[in-house]
Amino acid sequence: MLFTPLHDRVLVRRIESDEKTSGGLIIPDTAKEKPQEGEVVSVGAGAKDDAGARIAMDVKAGDKILFGKWSGTEIKIDGEDLMIMKESDILGIMA
C-alpha cells in the first residue's frame, strides 16, 4: 500500500465482529453496528510541539485498537475500506 498518513494521523482497518450472538442467533447486516475495533495499518511521523520537535506516536502498525463510534473518516484505498483518524481518537490498545 502506497499511503502514509501525515502528522498524528493513523490508518486503520476495521475488524469485523461475529455474525452470531452468544446464543447462536444470526445478526443480519442491517442490524449490525459498525465495529469500534481495528488494526493499525500505518501511522504518521507524529505531531510537532511548539519548539518544532516531533512528539512520538504511541501506536504502531499492527496494534489492535479501540476507537470511538464516530471517530475518523472512511476512505477507500486500493479497493479496501479503511479509516483515517487522529491518534487522539484512539481510546486504547488491546493487549
Side-chain angles (χ1 to χ4, degrees):
M1 179 177 303
L2 300 174
F3 182 83
T4 303
L6 296 177
H7 308 293
D8 63 340
R9 289 182 177 78
V10 179
L11 188 65
V12 176
R13 177 183 300 119
R14 286 186 190 266
I15 297 175
E16 295 298 324
S17 59
D18 292 336
E19 295 184 7
K20 289 185 179 182
T21 64
S22 58
L25 297 174
I26 296 175
I27 303 170
D29 288 340
T30 55
K32 279 194 221 176
E33 287 189 17
K34 291 185 177 180
Q36 295 174 281
E37 192 174 317
E39 178 184 358
V40 176
V41 176
S42 64
V43 297
K48 290 186 178 182
D49 62 12
D50 293 336
R54 290 269 180 207
I55 301 170
M57 299 285 279
D58 291 327
V59 296
K60 61 187 180 306
D63 285 347
K64 293 198 185 322
I65 59 166
L66 292 176
F67 51 88
K69 186 176 263 187
W70 308 110
S71 299
T73 302
E74 294 180 1
I75 60 173
K76 188 172 270 199
I77 298 176
D78 296 333
E80 184 177 9
D81 291 325
L82 301 168
M83 292 183 60
I84 190 162
M85 64 182 69
K86 288 189 157 267
E87 186 184 29
S88 60
D89 291 339
I90 297 172
L91 303 175
I93 301 171
M94 297 173 54

